Amino acid sequence: MISCAEAVRRLWEYIDDVVDASERALIETHLARCRRCCGELEFAHELRRTLTDAAQEDVPDDVLRRLRHTLEELER
Amino acid sequence: MDAVCAAEPHAARVERFRDVAREQLPRLYRIARRIVGDEAEDAVQDCLLKGYQSVDQLRDDTAAPAWLVRILVNCCRDRLRRRARSQEDVELDALEEFSLYRTIAYEDPFPYSDSLHLDFLAEFSVDDVRQVLLRLPEHYRIPVVLVYMHGFLAREVAEMLDAPLGTVLARLHRGRKAFEQQMWRYATEHGLLREGVR
């Protein structure tokens, strides 16, 4: 079984489903037996979501208007 | 006649560029905001100009959005390099050993909480999270923003940055650690850990 440090190091890749099948199996075997790493997994999920949520942002109308104007000014 | 024929494909490419760029403007601005903060609009302006100047390199419409993001990221990097105060000044000590999960458990900032870690995250507004991101050194912040906030694959980011995939993966790992460490520091500095403010 992989160590807690190894499992935790790969948790975000595991969440993002970018680990290969053998790594996934190793992590899941570890998680099935380690309660603390399950807590780390839940926390990593929430931290990941916190980052994704912070990406959403309304672009101010005046900024969009100026950027569109720049585009229109480019040679036709 | 030849001149007219030669001009037509270029004009058509410019028009295609304009269409793609117009559609991508909100995304370009959001990415730039997370990388260069208040200079986002200027960075997108730089990107539009550089994209226009290189429009003849644009062959494949489906690749155009990623091509634009690549140009934008380079414009952002140029702006960061010109800043007087380097973001590298941010102190990141003992990064590899740091764990936000363990730090929260050990420090136990909310002794009466039965969901300590989630309560810690709940203290952060969206604006707080963005401020924490801006504390990260550029070489960590850019991969973190592109992969975790805007859904690019590490492989795509490696192409954008002209860096080996292994380098980008290592920076993502250390970028996550740096983000966690800066979250803790930000919470401490901004009084988010005081029981009374909850």
Side-chain angles (χ1 to χ4, degrees), chain A residues 33-46:
Chain A
R33 297 178 187 185
C34 180
R35 209 166 134 192
R36 200 197 76 171
C37 284
C38 288
E40 292 245 18
L41 177 66
E42 184 190 14
F43 183 62
H45 260 298
E46 288 304 317

Side-chain angles (χ1 to χ4, degrees), chain B residues 102-113:
Chain B
R102 287 201 307 269
T103 302
I104 294 169
Y106 180 76
E107 298 287 343
D108 195 11
F110 314 124
Y112 300 107
S113 169

Side-chain angles (χ1 to χ4, degrees), chain B residues 52-73:
Chain B
Y52 167 69
Q53 287 165 347
S54 338
V55 74
D56 290 326
Q57 296 169 10
L58 181 56
R59 301 269 179 256
D60 174 7
D61 278 6
T62 59
W67 175 75
L68 268 174
V69 173
R70 179 187 181 131
I71 295 172
L72 175 72
V73 167

